[in-house]
Amino acid sequence: MSALGEVVSLAHLTITAIEEGKRLLSGSTEIIDEVAASLTEIFGGSADEGVGLAVGRVETTRTELAESATLLDMVTTSLLGYLDSIGATGFDSPTAHTQRGMSSVSTQKPGTWLHKSAAEHVDDRGSEIGRTPIVKARNHVREVATERELTCLFRALSSGARPVDKPGYPGSLMRHSDHTTVGYRTRSKTSPYPTLDISTAQGGRIKIHINGDQWGKRA
């Protein structure tokens, strides 16, 4: 298993977790706002010291929630900056470039991930992508932690390719000039999540599944 591939997957997993945390913080902030409005309506004009203390605590809590969201944004920016620096975002990241004050110019060559083409990833059995499956599988299968990362991989490795009209293929299929195909399959017999299919003209192939379980543990 590639140490760099694991780091990249963990970074994406962390970004996804941060986004969920921010969503929960936003919900908490809305509740605090409702509480503050209710307290003001109930005790408006009251000189009771206890009431004043309660209102003050509510306001402090709201400030702390806002500061926490800002800190999480800073962590996300740092992670996106790191991924971009090693060419692992796979495509221009508007969020990363905007937050860092950079122009939307990526050093990542179109059609590559970690500076390798789709065919090159097939040749080394996807060793730089995610991890080997935690449940025994064929050696052409890899796993990533989140759907966001799978989408990121597809956008990266299909960049510059042309759409392929393949009747019955449940998703998007793209073909590069070297006849390597990159497909984003929305349905799979073995998983409820999307799957990435990469095949070369020479008959090589890898499949990339999503599995967020036990991440960080070696297979």
Side-chain angles (χ1 to χ4, degrees), residues 91-119:
F91 57 94
D92 286 344
S93 171
T95 301
H97 291 310
T98 299
Q99 290 177 342
R100 289 158 51 210
M102 298 174 62
S103 61
S104 57
V105 177
S106 176
T107 58
Q108 181 80 354
K109 183 180 177 181
T112 63
W113 170 271
L114 291 178
H115 304 291
K116 286 185 178 181
S117 68

Side-chain angles (χ1 to χ4, degrees), residues 5-197:
E6 182 176 357
V7 167
V8 170
S9 293
L10 286 171
H12 280 282
L13 184 61
T14 301
I15 290 171
T16 300
I18 288 173
E19 290 177 346
E20 175 63 13
K22 287 175 60 182
R23 185 186 68 80
L24 293 173
L25 282 173
S26 177
S28 298
T29 299
E30 291 177 1
I31 292 173
I32 290 297
D33 285 342
E34 291 176 4
V35 170
S38 296
L39 288 176
T40 299
E41 184 175 346
I42 295 170
F43 298 110
S46 174
D48 186 282
E49 184 176 337
V51 170
L53 182 60
V55 172
R57 284 176 175 171
V58 169
E59 293 175 349
T60 298
T61 299
R62 194 189 191 291
T63 299
E64 290 173 346
L65 289 173
E67 290 175 348
S68 295
T70 299
L71 289 173
L72 288 176
D73 278 335
M74 292 171 64
V75 174
T76 297
T77 300
S78 296
L79 285 170
L80 288 171
Y82 167 71
L83 291 172
D84 193 48
S85 72
I86 62 173
T89 52
F91 57 94
D92 286 344
S93 171
T95 301
H97 291 310
T98 299
Q99 290 177 342
R100 289 158 51 210
M102 298 174 62
S103 61
S104 57
V105 177
S106 176
T107 58
Q108 181 80 354
K109 183 180 177 181
T112 63
W113 170 271
L114 291 178
H115 304 291
K116 286 185 178 181
S117 68
E120 289 172 326
H121 281 294
V122 171
D123 288 342
D124 66 12
R125 297 181 179 178
S127 63
E128 294 296 332
I129 296 175
R131 67 182 180 191
T132 55
I134 58 173
V135 176
K136 187 176 181 180
R138 296 177 181 178
N139 60 13
H140 64 274
V141 176
R142 303 291 295 178
E143 289 182 343
V144 294
T146 66
E147 189 169 340
R148 175 189 177 120
E149 185 177 359
L150 194 78
T151 302
C152 196
L153 280 165
F154 175 69
R155 292 180 63 181
L157 293 174
S158 66
S159 177
R162 293 179 177 275
V164 177
D165 183 13
K166 185 178 180 180
Y169 188 81
S172 300
L173 188 64
M174 308 291 287
R175 179 182 289 128
H176 286 286
S177 58
D178 65 356
H179 298 289
T180 297
T181 58
V182 183
Y184 188 96
R185 183 158 37 97
T186 56
R187 297 196 305 274
S188 173
K189 294 180 180 179
T190 59
S191 171
Y193 304 106
T195 296
L196 213 61
D197 304 306

